Amino acid sequence: MTVVDFVALVMVPITVLATATGVMVGVGLGTKKNRLATISVLQAHTFGAPRLEQFSQLWSSYFETLFGKEILARRQLITVPLFTLLVSAGFFLTWVLYVYIFKSQTSSLFVSLPPTMRQAAHDFYTKGVIATIALVFCAIQLTKLSVRGGKKSGFCSSWFYILVAFSIVVIYFLFSIVVHFFRVEDMVWLYAELAPTDPLPVMPYAPFSNMASSLSLFHPPTTIHVTSQGWYATYFMPEPLIFYCAATAQASLLGIAVSYQVAAALEKIKLASIGFLNLVGTPEANAASVVIFIVIGLLAIPVIILSIGAILTGG
């Protein structure tokens, strides 16, 4: 480590401590009347926390209106497939626009889709959409259970966040099973039709290694098989489309969890600010702040000397 690196490393905590101590000294040496006025303003200020809670409650009510409050509400027979078709069409349209705008070699929009995209659309809307509807249905039921648990124990409780984490893990596990099934099905069809005498390879179940490809909406994975008859790429299932449909179904749950967590954090910041103002107003805290500020200044002197020497000697 060079002198310059050492100086830069040491100056970071010194700067932070000096800034914090300077704030304490400045606030502590202010008038008591100003501090009390500031505390009154902070106590009356909500920082938008009630609005976030109202937003979460409104979001939850819309979700229940769309999919019902009960776990197996009959309206889901219509709303879940319709929701899945609309969401998948939106993501597929986004993929098409990306290809036409950023990847197309022609300036005209009136050209046919690439063969891989046409095959992806065919595979998804003939086979993948059924599995996606089932996956979205499971995601919505888990969301209902989590919201119900949040209403009973509180949306800032540890039990609610355990339910949220459990729902996410279960849905991703089911998604990985669906994707593995499609890959194995495609491999079996390929070898049965094109290379029936070849031994079937083992398709490993690797849910975590496939996560990156599942997130890439614009670059769906394609599996290439090496057979005795040559190399074949027959797998065009748009896995990211399935993933994002399931993730959209859980967006309400994540939105509620994040909103309540942000609201709780804002309330804690408010209480910490009021506590800080009450603390720095005491004579003991003011005296300690002045002593710490002087000590930090003394510690910074050799660092400043080292930095000047590094500048003069070139490092």
Side-chain angles (χ1 to χ4, degrees), residues 131-311:
T132 306
I133 290 174
L135 194 61
V136 168
F137 180 83
C138 294
I140 290 172
Q141 309 318 305
L142 289 173
T143 299
K144 290 182 180 180
L145 289 175
S146 300
V147 171
R148 184 177 298 178
K151 288 181 178 180
K152 289 183 179 180
S153 60
F155 287 102
C156 291
S157 63
S158 58
W159 175 243
F160 172 67
Y161 288 101
I162 290 174
L163 290 175
V164 172
F166 175 77
S167 299
I168 294 174
V169 170
V170 169
I171 291 304
Y172 185 79
F173 171 73
L174 294 177
F175 164 76
S176 65
I177 294 295
V178 168
V179 167
H180 185 67
F181 170 79
F182 283 136
R183 292 189 177 190
V184 172
E185 180 192 41
D186 180 80
M187 178 190 68
V188 171
W189 178 89
L190 170 72
Y191 278 85
E193 294 293 327
L194 302 177
T197 59
D198 288 8
L200 282 175
V202 177
M203 178 72 70
Y205 173 66
F208 298 107
S209 62
N210 295 330
M211 184 180 295
S213 62
S214 301
L215 294 173
S216 181
L217 177 63
F218 303 134
H219 304 284
T222 298
T223 304
I224 299 177
H225 296 280
V226 181
T227 70
S228 61
Q229 305 300 318
W231 291 26
Y232 293 98
T234 62
Y235 185 70
F236 297 99
M237 180 65 67
E239 295 175 6
L241 212 59
I242 304 175
F243 175 82
Y244 282 111
C245 286
T248 304
Q250 287 194 310
S252 297
L253 180 60
L254 295 177
I256 292 171
V258 171
S259 297
Y260 274 97
Q261 191 64 29
V262 172
L266 291 174
E267 185 64 23
K268 290 180 180 178
I269 291 173
K270 172 184 172 179
L271 295 177
S273 301
I274 294 174
F276 173 78
L277 288 173
N278 287 324
L279 174 65
V280 297
T282 61
E284 293 82 4
N286 294 341
S289 300
V290 173
V291 172
I292 294 173
F293 191 75
I294 294 174
V295 171
I296 291 174
L298 293 175
L299 292 176
I301 291 176
V303 178
I304 294 174
I305 295 174
L306 283 175
S307 62
I308 294 175
I311 293 173

